[in-house]
Amino acid sequence: DTGVSQNPRHKITKRGQNVTFRCDPISEHNRLYWYRQTLGQGPEFLTYFQNEAQLEKSRLLSDRFSAERPKGSFSTLEIQRTEQGDSAMYLCASSLELYEQYFGPGTRLTVT
Amino acid sequence: ELKVEQNPLFLSMQEGKNYTIYCNYSTTSDRLYWYRQDPGKSLESLFVLLSNGAVKQEGRLMASLDTKARLSTLHITAAVHDLSATYFCAVGMDSSYKLIFGSGTRLLVRP
């Protein structure tokens, strides 16, 4: 399967711990996006990369959040000092051009 | 700030019936997407609409875009149980690559 992959699929952590998620985009896609989805809502944009450059960040992305895409391939999203409000599904998407974004299966984060 | 509103938010319909989901957005955009999401799953791309008057059909689903009215519709024809899912519309902002999603329409097709 050559779709977008994300790891881990589920993460349970205690408040105050740091967590890191990984996203592997479709291999030829140069654009990569992170979204967050809470129960009953649509995904909310967090950040966007074109190749290795992080070009846009949402105001939702507080100082505790950091994302990287070294070498323009996979990406990581780290949340430091997690809070219960961080509990959500974190979705990664990739695209080749401007138009269609393909989503991965997501990482469900639960902060206890 | 771009806002995207879907209605209805919840739709229960009988198999065999027709219905339309509406997606309104607040500022100019020429990119409109429809996605499907099953419970606990990620988003599956259904349609990408890129110009005024665009119409696309796949099986029992047909999507259209009116950029002047800032409105897209997703029409369901002769619904079947397998269509039960949450449907999201999303709008691409002209100056950005991010998508702004609506709250979703949860569709339940009853026998």
Side-chain angles (χ1 to χ4, degrees):
Chain A
D1 190 330
T2 56
V4 179
S5 61
Q6 293 187 246
N7 287 288
R9 298 290 305 277
H10 303 274
K11 179 72 177 177
I12 300 174
T13 191
K14 292 185 177 180
R15 189 174 53 187
Q17 298 294 305
N18 300 342
V19 294
T20 300
F21 310 140
R22 176 177 171 130
C23 170
D24 288 89
I26 294 171
S27 60
E28 64 268 26
H29 286 185
N30 61 342
R31 294 183 172 89
L32 186 149
Y33 315 79
W34 285 98
Y35 292 84
R36 181 173 70 185
Q37 186 179 25
T38 53
L39 200 62
Q41 299 297 316
E44 295 174 291
F45 171 80
L46 292 179
T47 190
Y48 152 70
F49 291 86
Q50 181 172 329
N51 300 313
E52 65 275 9
Q54 188 174 18
L55 296 186
E56 191 170 354
K57 291 169 61 173
S58 164
R59 283 171 288 180
L60 292 174
L61 218 62
S62 74
D63 291 344
R64 297 184 298 106
F65 288 70
S66 63
E68 294 182 341
R69 193 183 181 197
K71 303 178 184 177
S73 56
F74 72 91
S75 176
T76 58
L77 177 68
E78 181 184 14
I79 309 174
Q80 296 182 326
R81 305 181 303 280
T82 52
E83 302 172 355
Q84 287 189 319
D86 297 331
S87 295
M89 175 80 88
Y90 289 84
L91 295 165
C92 175
S94 70
S95 72
L96 180 59
E97 294 297 337
L98 180 61
Y99 304 117
E100 190 163 10
Q101 295 182 19
Y102 294 87
F103 283 81
T107 295
R108 182 168 295 283
L109 173 66
T110 302
V111 181
T112 61
Chain B
E1 181 182 339
L2 177 60
K3 293 189 187 300
V4 181
E5 292 185 351
Q6 285 182 241
N7 69 83
L9 296 183
F10 178 73
L11 176 56
S12 177
M13 57 190 298
Q14 274 189 308
E15 279 190 329
K17 298 293 187 183
N18 304 333
Y19 208 82
T20 300
I21 299 170
Y22 297 88
C23 175
N24 290 89
Y25 54 97
S26 60
T27 62
T28 303
S29 173
D30 57 3
R31 293 181 285 132
L32 194 293
Y33 307 76
W34 285 96
Y35 287 90
R36 168 182 172 145
Q37 187 175 41
D38 292 292
K41 306 289 186 181
S42 189
L43 286 87
E44 174 191 353
S45 177
L46 295 174
F47 301 108
V48 181
L49 303 169
L50 300 175
S51 61
N52 186 43
V55 177
K56 290 193 175 180
Q57 182 164 6
E58 181 72 34
R60 300 175 188 273
L61 301 178
M62 183 174 71
S64 66
L65 177 62
D66 181 342
T67 59
K68 294 179 181 178
R70 298 175 187 166
L71 171 69
S72 180
T73 61
L74 181 66
H75 187 73
I76 303 156
T77 301
V80 293
H81 179 71
D82 285 351
L83 291 179
S84 297
T86 299
Y87 293 84
F88 292 96
C89 67
V91 178
M93 296 180 67
D94 290 342
S95 59
S96 169
Y97 293 93
K98 68 185 179 187
L99 298 183
I100 306 298
F101 283 81
S103 298
T105 295
R106 186 179 164 206
L107 173 65
L108 175 64
V109 181
R110 298 176 279 108

